[in-house]
């Protein structure tokens, strides 16, 4: 099948081309994001392979359907950038990679926690500058601390397992509690209780209308003073401006982000020689207790190989049998 791969980076070319040796699809790689302005580039491709920051809103989907596309194959788990009901209206099927290596994101989440609680980001620079003073680097131990996990699906459960190994007490909030987490001793509690009782709060729920700006000023006001907040899910689960106020007031003691609400204008490219225009993001970078990575939680060799394999299997099944494994339906969106 002819597949247009949008937002293609060198590693996408490498891993998809390798996996395609078993699948035999005709892959065409496009550097550009998919959006209204670039939709022409994928004209005539029955399958379009998109990533997290490609825009698949109703106008783009209508245009794609009109120019011959039948399948949107997301090479990611999240699908908040796709208007699923519009896709259905225009006869487009949408598939995704629901699980690849949850450990990729889970381990990155814990890496952010460990960088923050021992100030590794600062220590790295100090030592390189010949500054071996310890003032300002006083850490805390994870053992015995309470971690609150919001969303215990594939990634949240893997985080729970790792933090259990560190000796943390674990609380969680999820409308669908995980049996594995319960047997690990995770206590499911209402959000209020999680906010009030957690030393570390880590977000692993999808972005949907219920979770949009879940972490806002009111939520932050209910958290323990000095809480560590980690977001590796989707940027808009937190209200960034409210979090900045929380940092300024020392209500938030540590912030680790792998995702950002307006990341579509920033991430996955080198802007080091440009004047960056996002003042909210730049403000975040001024805090000594903030570590930000550019949506790299998924970025391990194991995860990329698995994503490429599943993406091409999704396309093959659709081509061969007209079936969609791993389909994103309106029911799935409603169910969160
Ligand atoms: P999953 O679908 O396995 O788990 C999500 C969990 O969140 C489910 O158990 C669900 O019941 C729960 N949930 C839904 N609404 C909720 C709410 N209002 N409050 C609390 N929990 C709620 O998804 P998975 O694979 O664990 O991924 C989680 C999120 O991580 C994805 O939706 C995606 O946004 C993000 N992600 C980030 C990556 C990165 O590179 N930083 C890579 C992959 C995913």
């Amino acid at each position: 099948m002819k597949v247009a791969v949008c937002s293609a980076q060198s590693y996408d070319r490498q891993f998809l081309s390798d996996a395609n040796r078993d699948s035999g699809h005709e892959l065409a790689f496009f550097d550009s994001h998919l959006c209204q302005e670039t939709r022409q580039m994928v004209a005539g491709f029955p399958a379009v392979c998109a990533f997290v920051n490609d825009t698949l809103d109703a106008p783009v989907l209508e245009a794609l359907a009109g120019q011959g596309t039948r399948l949107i194959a997301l090479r990611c788990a999240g699908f908040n950038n796709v208007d699923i009901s519009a896709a259905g209206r225009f006869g487009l099927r949408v598939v995704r990679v629901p699980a690849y290596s949850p450990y990729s994101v889970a381990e990155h989440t814990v890496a952010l926690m460990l960088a923050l609680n021992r100030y590794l980001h600062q220590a790295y620079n100090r030592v390189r500058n010949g500054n071996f003073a310890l003032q300002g680097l006083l850490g805390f131990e994870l053992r015995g601390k309470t971690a609150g996990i919001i969303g215990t699906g594939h990634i949240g459960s893997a985080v729970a397992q790792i933090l259990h190994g560190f000796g943390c007490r674990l609380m969680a909030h999820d409308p669908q509690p995980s049996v594995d987490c319960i047997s690990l001793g995770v206590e499911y509690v209402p959000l209020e209780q999680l906010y009030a009782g957690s030393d570390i709060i880590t977000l692993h729920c999808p972005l949907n209308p219920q979770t949009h700006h879940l972490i806002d000023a009111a939520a932050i006001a209910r958290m323990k003073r000095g809480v560590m907040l980690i977001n590796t899910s989707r940027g808009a689960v937190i209200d960034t401006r409210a979090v900045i106020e929380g940092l300024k007031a020392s209500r938030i003691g540590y912030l680790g982000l792998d995702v950002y609400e307006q990341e579509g204008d920033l991430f996955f490219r080198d802007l080091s020689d440009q004047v960056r225009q996002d003042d909210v993001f730049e403000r975040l970078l001024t805090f000594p207790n903030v570590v930000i990575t550019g949506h790299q939680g998924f970025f391990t060799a194991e995860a990329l190989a698995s994503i490429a394999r599943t993406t091409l299997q999704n396309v093959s099944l659709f081509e061969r049998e007209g079936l969609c494994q791993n389909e994103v339906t309106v029911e799935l969106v409603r169910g969160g």
Side-chain angles (χ1 to χ4, degrees), residues 100 105 153-155 173-174 204 206 211 232-234 258 295 298:
Y100 33 99
V105 186
H154 294 96
I155 297 169
H173 179 79
D174 191 313
H204 303 289
T211 61
T232 62
S233 64
R234 285 292 182 265
D258 187 47
H295 206 139
F298 72 100

Side-chain angles (χ1 to χ4, degrees), residues 51-52 76-80 96-100 102 104-105 108 149-157 173-178 191 203-208 210-211 214 231-234 237 258-259 295-299 335-336:
F51 195 50
V52 293
C76 53
F79 45 82
N80 52 286
R96 65 171 178 145
V97 183
Y100 33 99
S104 60
V105 186
H108 190 75
I149 303 173
I150 300 183
T152 51
H154 294 96
I155 297 169
S157 299
H173 179 79
D174 191 313
Q176 296 175 314
S178 140
L191 272 181
L203 307 175
H204 303 289
C205 54
L207 173 61
N208 58 31
Q210 290 78 48
T211 61
L214 179 73
N231 187 13
T232 62
S233 64
R234 285 292 182 265
V237 176
D258 187 47
V259 287
H295 206 139
Q296 70 174 82
F298 72 100
F299 199 56

Side-chain angles (χ1 to χ4, degrees), residues 16-62:
L16 282 165
S17 300
D18 285 353
N20 197 37
R21 289 205 195 98
D22 298 331
S23 305
H25 295 293
E26 223 178 295
L27 305 182
F29 294 97
F30 298 95
D31 297 348
S32 304
H33 278 167
L34 179 60
C35 59
Q36 191 64 319
E37 290 70 38
T38 60
R39 64 190 160 82
Q40 276 297 339
M41 73 185 178
V42 301
F45 282 87
V48 168
C49 177
F51 195 50
V52 293
N53 292 325
D54 288 313
T55 304
L56 291 148
D57 56 11
V60 172
L61 291 168
E62 184 173 17

Side-chain angles (χ1 to χ4, degrees), residues 84-160:
I84 298 298
S85 56
R89 279 203 306 283
F90 302 127
L92 289 161
R93 309 285 290 271
V94 181
V95 289
R96 65 171 178 145
V97 183
Y100 33 99
S101 172
Y103 305 105
S104 60
V105 186
E107 289 177 13
H108 190 75
T109 301
V110 178
L112 288 173
M113 290 177 192
L114 292 171
L116 282 162
N117 80 330
R118 305 308 297 265
Y119 294 100
L120 292 186
H121 53 300
Q122 302 211 20
Y124 174 84
N125 286 326
R126 277 197 197 182
V127 169
R128 287 176 79 92
N129 289 331
N131 176 357
F132 304 101
L134 295 182
Q135 281 81 356
L137 302 183
L138 186 65
F140 70 87
E141 294 170 15
L142 291 182
R143 185 177 172 77
K145 298 296 181 300
T146 300
I149 303 173
I150 300 183
T152 51
H154 294 96
I155 297 169
S157 299
V159 169

